[in-house]
Every structure is written in structure tokens, then in C-alpha cells.
Amino acid sequence: MRTKNWIYAVICFIFMYGCYDDKGNYDYGDINVITVEKYLTNADPWFYKGDMAEITPVLKFSLDEEITTLKFRWELRTSEKEYKTLGHEKVLNWEVDTAGWLQFVLTITDTTNGLQCVDLTRQYVMDNLAYPSGVWLVLDEKDNGAELAMLDLDRRLDEATQEYVTYLDVYADLYTLENDGQRLGGKPYFLQEVFADWDSPSHVLILQEGGIGPVYVDGSSYKKTISLGEEFTGGALPAGQVFVGAAYHHKGDILMSKTGDIFVRRKTDEEVFYSGMYPDFPAYYEKGLEVTLMCKTRSGISTLVYDNKNHRFLAVNDGNVYYDDEIGEWVTDPNTAAILPVFPERMEGVTPLNNMGNVEMYFCDGYTDGDRKFWCVFKNREDGVYYMQFFYYDEWNGYKVIPQYELPFPHQDLLDGTNKFELTTDSREFLFFTSNGTSVAGAPHDKLYAYQHARGRGDAKLLYDFQGRGIVSMLASQRNNAGGYLVVGLDSGEVYFFAAGTTSIFAGGTIEYAYKTEPVFGRIADIKYRFGGQGSIVD
């Protein structure tokens, strides 16, 4: 049973002891059976390490008569087979000395007849220095090594003016701070938020080459949990593989390497972190694979990947999803292939995504406009023209691709194959992109453009000129979660926030930034919005 205040009454086992009359005249209706209805706590909404936790069970008696001859024993489950006794009173009072999800076992014994009730409850404990969720994580490279930072827009009272003001709080080099001075130390590539059960605070995967290698951190404390190598069957990263991308699924995960290999694992328990192992060998699909980009769908059940070797899109999935009329729920067939072809409907003048021919794919991402739609940008090597294609991907019904239209990209002169792209994820589908790598001013990628498509009637607009500071990372946040900001990371170590979630960005000339950091970071490698939990994600 799941409740909003993070309290879980998982299961109750009733054990009865005693000698019953062989004649079978024992009346079970006379037994006053004990059950735990719920737990009351002083958590707000969870405990912090060092708190004095108070947990009170609310008991129910089958005969509606309270039993006064009860003994209690509270235990903390410390491993699969080990327990630590915490107290023997009905109300547990315990100074919390452990962080994370804790499982408490309450054993209640009726001393008059030996009847026992064993009940479990889970409580979440944050570390002393717990950081907020709903923040932007920044992976940067400074002093020849990766660093992890956090940016938080916090609205609070200005003591001088007595008005509420939004501040941009910067937590630089967070990993080193929370891990006893240890540095990540490698070449940074990618951040990926991962989840366990619906309400658990997330963890974060940091992909880097060298240093201490790719690692996971707890999303509340930013302390290291495990190394990525521990998730492989061989106990270490596969030889020669450097991972530069990842995708989270409910029932499985994907890693993408520099060489275009992908590694796919199936979770053994989707509500537990790090369940299931990655094989030591990459996934294979007919004719081989060279995956150069991944485009995760928002359902959490599949990821579109582009295979540059065979110029096709494929679906890496959790399993075939179908609606089971008998149970009235969507279910996943775990026996279906993990990698499947997409099946595009044919449309004249549209390049089929399962056989694109001699093209170079630069970008693909999705947005919500009633259905889940996608936008990709590629170059046809035959005619040298850059194109953009819009399509609907139906992952719930046979991985069908339904093309909308394909058009030459406006302002061909702005593209050269090195541009950075980013797409808003909600219904206001803006494509943001940088100037090319051979800027007239001699500073590659230092100009920010926006394009709002209108079936070929749109036009690109210069939004901001960073004047010699190159754009290396962009993230467009969902309006429901993060105010519709476009967050731009520069090679100078600065991060800019633009309120770019409305059509007003196309009015007038260039736009002004809403917030910016000082150049406290190194070269920005990746920026991600951290939701904090699956229940916080709004599509």
C-alpha cells in the first residue's frame, strides 16, 4: 500500500501458535487478530540523518477489543538476512544514523496466546546535507578533469525589500565536496538521471573517460554509490569501451559507446536501483550497428537509435507493449526482441527512416503535440542539401513511424554539420541551433538561432550573439517542470538561462537572458534537468 507521505505497509504475516484440541472445537472467531493499519511519523515528509525519529503504529483488533498484554520489537533490516534491534516499546524513538531507504520490521506478540503480527514499513532518510530536486545539473571540465555542479532557481524573500526574488544558486564542484575531496578527474561526456520505484529520489549516472571512471551518485547527497563497471557481468567496464551516452527505461537501460556499440540490460526488479547486469559484449542486430545518436521517448519503454552503418532508425525497447483486456492494463511481453526495426509508412518525397540511403544524421528529438512527434535534421550526401523531417512514432502499436512531411532546412548557409541543436519538449515546438563551426567572426558556434516550424513557412531568427564564446551544450526544459527555460552552456564555463517557452521570442530583435552564472565552471560538457523522482516528471 503506497501513501503520499512516503509510508509503506508492505505486507503483514500472521503466525499463530498454540495447542488446539484434537476434537477441532477451537473457535477461531475468538482470536483477537492484530493488524497494523498505518504508521504515524514525525517525518516532514522524510527523515534526515541525525533526526530523532518517532514512528507510531496504529493497531486494529479483529474483535474491536484492545489487547493490553502486547510485547513489541522494532528492528532495522541491515542486509538480506541481518537485522538490528532498535527498541521494545510500541512507539519507536530512534536517533537516525543511516541514510537512504530504510526497512523497519515491527513484531507484535500477544503474550497470552503467542499470536504474532510481523509488519514492515519503509521510510526514506536524507543525508544531513540534502540538496533540492527540480534543479539543473552541469557536467564541466576544469583543471583537466570532470566536475559536477548544480544550479537551482530559488524564490525567496529579500530581507532588504521584503519582496520575493528568484535567485540563481550555484553549487560548484559538488562531487568533490560530497566525496571527501575525491575528484571525478576524467574527460566528461554525459549525465543520465535514473530511477527506482515511483517515489524514490533519483540517482545520477556520470559518464566520463579516465579519472575514477563512470560512476553513479545518490541524487540527494551526491555521494558516490557504485561505479558503472560494477554493473557488468565481468565486474568491470568492457575493454576498449568508452561510454558517451545512456538512456533509462522502466525495465531496462542502454549505454552507447564512442565506437557506436550499444549495451542493453534487462532489470530484474524495476523498483530497485542497479538490478540486472549489463553483458560484457555489445548488442547486435542484423548487418551490425554503429549507433551515433539516441532519442529517448517520454514513455520510458523504448529509445529510437540511429544506426549510421546502415543508415536506419531502430527501436531499442523494453518489450512489445500491448493492452491486456483480461486485466485491463498495458503490459509488456518480456520475450520480444530488445531491438526491432521501425516500420515507416511510405510518403512521396519523404526519406524512409528504416532505409535512409546516403545521409548523415545530425539530430533527432521529440515533442508533445497531442501525439508524440519527432523532428530530425540530416544531410543528403547526394545533393548536399540539409533536410528536416517531422514524424509521429507509435511505440505502442508495432513501432510504426507515420511521416508528416520533409523539407529543406531554411538558411542552408547556417549549417555545416557541426551545429548543436535542441528542441522544446512540449507543444510549442521550437528548434534552437547554433551557428556553424566556421563563423564569419572566427568563433564557432557563438550565435544562438531559433526556428519555429510552420510546415515550411517558418524562418530562422538570431536570438543571441555570445561574441566569441562558443555554445557547447543546450537544454530546453519543459514548462510544466522548469519554467520553459532554454539553458545554454558555453566553452567559457558560463551558463545562460533564456525564457524561451513562448512565441514572444520571435517578436522584435534579439532577446535578453533571464539569469546567468559567472565563468566559475570549466568547458561545459552536458546539462540536464533533474526531476528528482519519476512522480515529478510531467510530459
Side-chain angles (χ1 to χ4, degrees), residues 154-430:
D154 184 35
R155 184 172 173 80
R156 55 182 181 264
L157 185 66
D158 185 310
E159 296 294 340
T161 64
Q162 289 299 298
E163 295 181 355
Y164 281 90
V165 179
T166 299
Y167 295 89
L168 176 58
D169 294 331
V170 178
Y171 301 80
D173 201 9
L174 195 55
Y175 182 89
T176 304
L177 174 67
E178 292 303 322
N179 289 273
D180 300 321
Q182 182 187 55
R183 295 195 70 207
L184 289 167
K187 180 177 177 56
Y189 288 112
F190 193 81
L191 295 170
Q192 177 63 51
E193 188 176 21
V194 298
F195 307 93
D197 64 72
W198 189 255
D199 291 321
S200 292
S202 62
H203 289 187
V204 179
L205 171 62
I206 305 171
L207 294 181
Q208 63 167 350
E209 180 181 3
I212 62 171
V215 295
Y216 290 89
V217 296
D218 182 287
S220 297
S221 66
Y222 292 93
K223 296 184 185 298
K224 176 185 172 182
T225 54
I226 66 170
S227 297
L228 178 62
E230 298 176 55
E231 294 205 284
F232 283 85
T233 53
L237 297 176
Q241 296 287 358
V242 176
F243 294 105
V244 296
Y248 161 85
H249 286 180
H250 294 310
K251 300 181 184 297
D253 298 311
I254 311 170
L255 294 170
M256 181 179 73
S257 77
K258 257 186 177 181
T259 58
D261 291 320
I262 58 172
F263 290 72
V264 181
R265 64 117 169 251
R266 180 61 62 93
K267 297 175 183 176
T268 54
D269 187 343
E270 61 190 274
E271 294 198 346
V272 176
F273 286 112
Y274 320 127
S275 68
M277 304 292 285
Y278 285 104
D280 293 327
F281 51 87
Y284 177 82
Y285 191 70
E286 58 186 42
K287 300 181 182 180
L289 291 172
E290 183 195 341
V291 175
T292 53
L293 65 82
M294 299 196 299
C295 180
K296 186 178 179 296
T297 64
R298 297 310 192 266
S299 67
I301 64 171
S302 74
T303 294
L304 284 175
V305 302
Y306 183 71
D307 171 21
N308 188 59
K309 179 178 180 180
N310 300 286
H311 308 296
R312 62 186 175 181
F313 276 93
L314 297 168
V316 183
N317 66 310
D318 272 353
N320 185 42
V321 180
Y322 63 94
Y323 191 80
D324 190 319
D325 290 321
E326 292 187 4
I327 63 174
E329 294 180 1
W330 288 95
V331 296
T332 303
D333 178 3
N335 299 313
T336 52
I339 303 178
L340 292 172
V342 297
F343 300 96
E345 295 182 358
R346 299 295 174 179
M347 177 181 285
E348 185 176 353
V350 173
T351 307
L353 297 185
N354 62 345
N355 183 19
M356 300 194 70
N358 191 14
V359 306
E360 188 170 355
M361 183 64 60
Y362 297 123
F363 171 79
C364 184
D365 201 1
Y367 64 94
T368 300
D369 188 11
D371 295 321
R372 194 68 194 163
K373 295 181 180 178
F374 289 80
W375 186 334
C376 64
V377 179
F378 60 91
K379 180 181 181 180
N380 187 319
R381 292 194 183 102
E382 300 294 334
D383 60 17
V385 175
Y386 295 92
Y387 291 91
M388 50 188 183
Q389 183 182 141
F390 304 88
F391 62 92
Y392 166 53
Y393 170 54
D394 187 358
E395 61 187 326
W396 298 94
N397 188 21
Y399 306 101
K400 289 192 300 186
V401 170
I402 305 169
Q404 306 296 300
Y405 49 92
E406 180 175 307
L407 299 164
F409 194 90
H411 298 287
Q412 296 277 314
D413 58 307
L414 295 178
L415 303 187
D416 69 349
T418 68
N419 310 72
K420 305 290 184 182
F421 296 91
E422 178 64 358
L423 180 66
T424 51
T425 56
D426 54 25
S427 58
R428 291 195 174 99
E429 55 276 17
F430 305 143

